[in-house]
Amino acid sequence: MTPADSPIEATLIPGDGIGPEITDAVLEALDALDAPIAWDRQVAGVAAIERCGDPLPEITLASIRRTRLALKGPLTTPIGGGYRSVNVALRNALELYANVRPARTVVPGGRFDDIDLVLVRENLGGLYGGSDQFFALDGDPHGIAVSTGINTRSGCRRIARFAFEYAVRAGRRKVTLVHKANTMKAISGLFLETAREVAEDYAGRLEVDDRIVDACAMQLVLDPWRFDVIVTTNLFGDILSEEIAGLVGGLGFAPAANIGERGAIFEAVHGSAPDIAGTGRANPVALLLATALMLEHVGHPELAGRLRAGIDVTLNADKVRTPDIGGSASTSEFARALARRLRARS
Ligand code: NAI
Ligand code: MG
């Protein structure tokens, strides 16, 4: 049986705010592509609090544990009420240690053209994986703030190995190790040392270099084309991935994958956009690009390629664009135009 014959089971979390609208656009596109995906629809976030009082119901987690694959719309983190971030909880529960953020120019003519780079960020440790607390000083309970970060050699090895394997599989040419080992000798030094060791296994297959994070941030705006795949630790990856999303026009075009040994969750980088939810103005492209990453992940690169090509033609030849990128199309008009293009090619 070929993969095309057996549907792949995946968990679908439409999400909050604009989530359901952009998820509908994805479902319409996958239908037009005849993509062999069987969805197990679940809730999380505010939708789940409303339904069962828990932003991350056990049944949702159990579904992802079973399918090991999910597409997730944005989730609103309720302010107050002591709710933890569902996104972080999912990452930790499923040990999704790699965050992959590809950035490609989708609409030419922006500040930078022909951008095509991928940031791989360690998702669980570093300065977001340690403790963060206050101690009293001179009667001020917040007189001292102390953060600790944790990187392990095995964690550094795992993320470096992931980045190099990804680079080889995706046919990339170079991996840049980004660090601050000159001042953070332990936490960042361990990452650099370990990643360099891993790099030795790829000699002759991939070019490798390294950059101090601050210099990297500057070079990314001066000459982003010198980079190809970047691998770095949690905090630096968080910051640089937003910078890199900015190079290709921001949130509307930024997809992300969270990947571990036991599962993978694909999502748009943007949030639930409550200010425009329900108005039909949401841009579904970031979630569609996340869907393309998911199709690649499950062994359907040809469907991913067709989806990306369809998005390209719809935006740039047909000029069907949502208001956030200067157009006047609604979410459903964009979805319909894309589906028409995808059907025409099949
Ligand atoms: P946001 O990304 O939702 O919105 C920021 C601005 O960008 C808004 O003006 C919004 O209208 C616009 N925008 C975002 N996505 C858009 C799209 N697809 N099409 C058109 N315009 C779009 O960030 P914000 O307002 O800080 O957060 C809103 C909620 O989303 C919060 O509850 C936050 O916790 C949550 N959030 C969830 C994320 C996730 O589930 N991965 C990521 C980031 C935020
Ligand atoms: Mg961030």
Coordinates of all heavy atoms in Angstrom, one line a residue, residues 205-256:
R205 N 29.5 17.0 4.3 CA 28.1 17.0 3.8 C 27.5 18.4 4.0 O 26.6 18.8 3.2 CB 27.3 16.0 4.6 CG 27.6 14.6 4.1 CD 26.5 13.6 4.7 NE 26.8 13.3 6.1 CZ 26.0 12.7 6.9 NH1 24.8 12.4 6.5 NH2 26.3 12.4 8.2
L206 N 27.9 19.1 5.1 CA 27.3 20.4 5.4 C 28.4 21.3 5.8 O 29.4 20.9 6.5 CB 26.3 20.3 6.6 CG 25.0 19.6 6.3 CD1 24.3 19.3 7.6 CD2 24.1 20.5 5.5
E207 N 28.3 22.6 5.4 CA 29.2 23.6 5.9 C 28.7 24.0 7.3 O 27.5 24.0 7.6 CB 29.0 24.8 5.0 CG 30.1 25.8 4.9 CD 29.7 26.9 4.0 OE1 29.1 26.7 2.9 OE2 29.9 28.1 4.4
V208 N 29.7 24.2 8.2 CA 29.3 24.6 9.6 C 30.1 25.8 10.0 O 31.3 26.0 9.7 CB 29.7 23.5 10.6 CG1 29.3 23.9 12.0 CG2 29.0 22.2 10.2
D209 N 29.4 26.8 10.6 CA 30.1 27.9 11.2 C 29.4 28.3 12.5 O 28.4 27.7 12.9 CB 30.3 29.1 10.3 CG 29.0 29.7 9.9 OD1 27.9 29.3 10.3 OD2 29.1 30.7 9.1
D210 N 30.0 29.2 13.3 CA 29.3 29.6 14.5 C 29.4 31.1 14.6 O 30.3 31.8 14.1 CB 29.8 28.9 15.7 CG 31.3 28.9 15.9 OD1 31.8 30.0 16.2 OD2 31.9 27.8 15.6
R211 N 28.4 31.7 15.4 CA 28.3 33.1 15.5 C 27.9 33.4 17.0 O 27.0 32.7 17.5 CB 27.2 33.7 14.7 CG 27.5 33.8 13.2 CD 28.1 35.2 12.9 NE 28.4 35.3 11.5 CZ 29.3 34.5 10.8 NH1 30.0 33.6 11.5 NH2 29.4 34.7 9.5
I212 N 28.4 34.5 17.5 CA 27.9 35.0 18.8 C 26.5 35.6 18.5 O 26.3 36.3 17.5 CB 28.9 35.9 19.4 CG1 30.2 35.1 19.7 CG2 28.4 36.6 20.7 CD1 31.3 35.9 20.2
V213 N 25.6 35.4 19.4 CA 24.2 35.8 19.2 C 24.0 37.2 18.8 O 23.2 37.6 17.9 CB 23.3 35.3 20.3 CG1 23.7 36.0 21.6 CG2 21.8 35.6 20.0
D214 N 24.7 38.1 19.5 CA 24.5 39.6 19.2 C 25.0 39.9 17.8 O 24.3 40.7 17.1 CB 25.1 40.5 20.3 CG 26.4 40.0 20.8 OD1 26.9 38.9 20.4 OD2 27.0 40.7 21.7
A215 N 26.1 39.4 17.4 CA 26.6 39.6 16.1 C 25.7 39.0 15.0 O 25.4 39.6 14.0 CB 28.0 39.0 15.9
C216 N 25.1 37.9 15.4 CA 24.2 37.2 14.5 C 22.9 38.1 14.3 O 22.5 38.2 13.1 CB 23.8 35.8 15.1 SG 22.5 35.0 14.2
A217 N 22.5 38.7 15.3 CA 21.3 39.5 15.2 C 21.5 40.7 14.3 O 20.6 41.0 13.4 CB 20.9 40.1 16.6
M218 N 22.7 41.2 14.3 CA 23.0 42.3 13.4 C 23.2 41.8 12.0 O 22.6 42.4 11.0 CB 24.3 43.0 13.8 CG 24.6 44.2 12.9 SD 26.2 45.0 13.4 CE 27.4 43.7 12.9
Q219 N 23.9 40.7 11.8 CA 24.1 40.2 10.4 C 22.8 39.8 9.8 O 22.7 39.9 8.6 CB 25.1 39.1 10.5 CG 26.5 39.6 10.7 CD 27.5 38.5 11.2 OE1 27.1 37.4 11.4 NE2 28.8 38.9 11.3
L220 N 21.9 39.4 10.6 CA 20.6 39.0 10.0 C 19.9 40.1 9.3 O 19.1 39.9 8.3 CB 19.7 38.4 11.1 CG 19.8 36.9 11.4 CD1 19.1 36.5 12.7 CD2 19.3 36.1 10.2
V221 N 20.1 41.3 9.8 CA 19.4 42.4 9.1 C 20.4 43.1 8.0 O 19.9 43.7 7.1 CB 18.9 43.6 10.0 CG1 17.7 43.1 10.7 CG2 19.9 44.1 10.9
L222 N 21.7 42.9 8.2 CA 22.6 43.4 7.2 C 22.7 42.5 5.9 O 22.7 43.0 4.8 CB 24.0 43.6 7.8 CG 24.2 44.7 8.7 CD1 25.7 44.7 9.3 CD2 23.9 46.1 8.1
D223 N 22.8 41.2 6.2 CA 23.0 40.3 5.1 C 22.4 38.9 5.5 O 23.1 38.0 5.7 CB 24.5 40.2 4.9 CG 24.8 39.2 3.7 OD1 23.9 38.9 2.9 OD2 26.0 38.8 3.6
P224 N 21.0 38.8 5.5 CA 20.4 37.6 5.9 C 20.7 36.4 5.0 O 20.6 35.2 5.4 CB 18.9 37.9 5.9 CG 18.8 39.1 5.0 CD 20.0 39.8 5.1
W225 N 21.1 36.7 3.7 CA 21.3 35.6 2.8 C 22.6 34.8 3.1 O 22.8 33.7 2.6 CB 21.5 36.2 1.4 CG 20.2 37.0 1.0 CD1 19.0 36.5 0.6 CD2 20.0 38.4 1.2 NE1 18.1 37.5 0.4 CE2 18.7 38.7 0.8 CE3 20.8 39.4 1.6 CZ2 18.2 40.0 0.8 CZ3 20.3 40.7 1.7 CH2 19.0 41.0 1.2
R226 N 23.4 35.2 4.0 CA 24.6 34.5 4.4 C 24.2 33.3 5.3 O 25.0 32.4 5.5 CB 25.6 35.3 5.1 CG 25.2 35.7 6.5 CD 26.4 36.2 7.3 NE 26.9 37.5 6.7 CZ 28.0 38.1 7.2 NH1 28.7 37.5 8.1 NH2 28.5 39.2 6.7
F227 N 23.0 33.3 5.8 CA 22.6 32.2 6.7 C 21.7 31.2 6.0 O 21.1 31.5 4.9 CB 21.7 32.8 7.9 CG 22.5 33.7 8.8 CD1 22.5 35.1 8.7 CD2 23.4 33.1 9.7 CE1 23.2 35.9 9.5 CE2 24.1 33.9 10.6 CZ 24.0 35.3 10.5
D228 N 21.7 30.0 6.5 CA 20.9 29.0 5.9 C 20.0 28.3 7.0 O 18.9 28.5 7.1 CB 21.8 28.0 5.1 CG 21.0 27.0 4.3 OD1 19.9 27.3 3.9 OD2 21.5 25.9 3.9
V229 N 20.7 27.4 7.8 CA 20.0 26.8 8.9 C 20.8 27.4 10.2 O 22.0 27.4 10.2 CB 20.1 25.3 8.9 CG1 19.5 24.7 10.2 CG2 19.3 24.7 7.7
I230 N 20.0 27.9 11.1 CA 20.6 28.3 12.4 C 20.1 27.4 13.5 O 18.9 27.1 13.5 CB 20.2 29.8 12.7 CG1 20.8 30.7 11.7 CG2 20.5 30.2 14.1 CD1 20.2 32.2 11.8
V231 N 21.0 27.0 14.4 CA 20.6 26.2 15.5 C 21.1 26.9 16.8 O 22.2 27.3 16.9 CB 21.0 24.7 15.5 CG1 22.5 24.6 15.4 CG2 20.5 23.9 16.7
T232 N 20.2 27.0 17.8 CA 20.5 27.7 19.0 C 19.7 27.3 20.2 O 18.8 26.5 20.0 CB 20.5 29.3 18.7 OG1 21.0 30.0 19.9 CG2 19.0 29.8 18.5
T233 N 20.0 27.9 21.3 CA 19.3 27.5 22.6 C 18.0 28.3 22.7 O 17.7 29.3 21.9 CB 20.2 27.7 23.8 OG1 20.9 29.0 23.6 CG2 21.3 26.6 23.8
N234 N 17.2 28.0 23.8 CA 15.9 28.5 23.9 C 15.6 30.0 23.8 O 14.9 30.5 22.9 CB 15.3 27.9 25.2 CG 13.8 27.7 25.2 OD1 13.1 28.3 24.4 ND2 13.3 26.9 26.1
L235 N 16.3 30.7 24.7 CA 16.0 32.2 24.7 C 16.5 32.9 23.4 O 15.8 33.7 22.8 CB 16.8 32.8 25.9 CG 16.9 34.3 26.0 CD1 15.5 34.9 26.2 CD2 17.8 34.7 27.2
F236 N 17.7 32.5 23.0 CA 18.2 33.2 21.8 C 17.3 32.8 20.6 O 17.1 33.6 19.7 CB 19.7 32.7 21.5 CG 20.7 33.0 22.5 CD1 21.8 32.3 22.7 CD2 20.4 34.1 23.4 CE1 22.8 32.6 23.7 CE2 21.4 34.4 24.4 CZ 22.5 33.6 24.5
G237 N 16.9 31.6 20.6 CA 16.0 31.1 19.5 C 14.7 31.8 19.5 O 14.1 32.1 18.4
D238 N 14.1 32.1 20.6 CA 12.9 32.8 20.7 C 13.0 34.2 20.1 O 12.3 34.6 19.2 CB 12.5 32.9 22.2 CG 11.1 33.5 22.4 OD1 10.4 33.7 21.4 OD2 10.8 33.8 23.6
I239 N 14.1 34.9 20.5 CA 14.3 36.2 20.0 C 14.6 36.3 18.5 O 14.0 37.0 17.7 CB 15.4 36.9 20.8 CG1 15.0 37.0 22.3 CG2 15.7 38.3 20.2 CD1 16.1 37.4 23.2
L240 N 15.6 35.4 18.1 CA 16.0 35.4 16.7 C 14.9 35.0 15.7 O 14.8 35.4 14.6 CB 17.2 34.6 16.5 CG 18.5 35.1 17.1 CD1 19.7 34.1 16.7 CD2 18.9 36.5 16.7
S241 N 14.0 34.0 16.2 CA 13.0 33.6 15.3 C 12.0 34.7 15.0 O 11.4 34.8 13.9 CB 12.3 32.3 15.9 OG 11.7 32.6 17.1
E242 N 11.8 35.6 16.0 CA 10.9 36.7 15.7 C 11.6 37.7 14.7 O 10.9 38.3 13.8 CB 10.5 37.5 17.0 CG 9.9 36.6 18.0 CD 8.4 36.4 18.0 OE1 7.6 37.3 17.7 OE2 7.9 35.2 18.2
E243 N 12.8 37.9 14.9 CA 13.6 38.8 14.0 C 13.5 38.2 12.6 O 13.3 38.9 11.6 CB 15.1 38.9 14.5 CG 15.9 39.8 13.6 CD 17.3 39.9 14.0 OE1 17.8 39.2 14.9 OE2 18.0 40.7 13.3
I244 N 13.7 36.9 12.5 CA 13.7 36.3 11.2 C 12.3 36.3 10.5 O 12.1 36.5 9.3 CB 14.2 34.8 11.3 CG1 15.7 34.8 11.6 CG2 13.9 34.0 10.1 CD1 16.3 33.5 12.0
A245 N 11.2 36.2 11.4 CA 9.9 36.3 10.8 C 9.7 37.7 10.3 O 9.0 37.9 9.2 CB 8.8 36.0 11.9
G246 N 10.3 38.7 10.9 CA 10.2 40.1 10.4 C 10.8 40.3 9.1 O 10.4 41.1 8.3
L247 N 11.9 39.5 8.8 CA 12.5 39.6 7.5 C 11.6 39.2 6.3 O 11.8 39.7 5.2 CB 13.7 38.6 7.4 CG 14.9 38.8 8.4 CD1 15.9 37.7 8.2 CD2 15.5 40.2 8.2
V248 N 10.6 38.4 6.6 CA 9.7 38.0 5.5 C 8.3 38.6 5.7 O 7.3 38.1 5.1 CB 9.6 36.5 5.3 CG1 10.9 35.9 4.9 CG2 9.1 35.8 6.6
G249 N 8.2 39.7 6.4 CA 6.9 40.4 6.5 C 6.1 40.1 7.7 O 5.0 40.6 7.8
G250 N 6.6 39.4 8.7 CA 6.0 39.3 9.9 C 5.0 38.1 10.1 O 5.1 37.1 9.4
L251 N 4.1 38.3 11.1 CA 3.3 37.1 11.6 C 2.5 36.4 10.5 O 2.2 35.2 10.6 CB 2.3 37.7 12.6 CG 3.0 38.2 13.9 CD1 1.9 38.8 14.8 CD2 3.6 37.0 14.6
G252 N 2.0 37.1 9.5 CA 1.2 36.5 8.5 C 1.8 35.4 7.7 O 1.1 34.6 7.1
F253 N 3.1 35.3 7.8 CA 3.8 34.3 6.9 C 4.7 33.4 7.8 O 5.6 32.8 7.2 CB 4.7 35.0 5.9 CG 3.9 35.9 5.0 CD1 4.2 37.3 5.0 CD2 3.0 35.4 4.2 CE1 3.5 38.2 4.2 CE2 2.2 36.3 3.3 CZ 2.5 37.7 3.4
A254 N 4.5 33.3 9.1 CA 5.4 32.6 9.9 C 4.8 31.3 10.5 O 4.0 31.3 11.4 CB 5.9 33.5 11.1
P255 N 5.2 30.1 10.0 CA 4.8 28.9 10.5 C 5.8 28.3 11.5 O 7.0 28.7 11.5 CB 4.7 28.0 9.3 CG 5.8 28.5 8.4 CD 6.0 29.9 8.7
A256 N 5.4 27.4 12.3 CA 6.3 26.7 13.2 C 6.0 25.3 13.4 O 4.8 24.9 13.3 CB 6.3 27.4 14.6

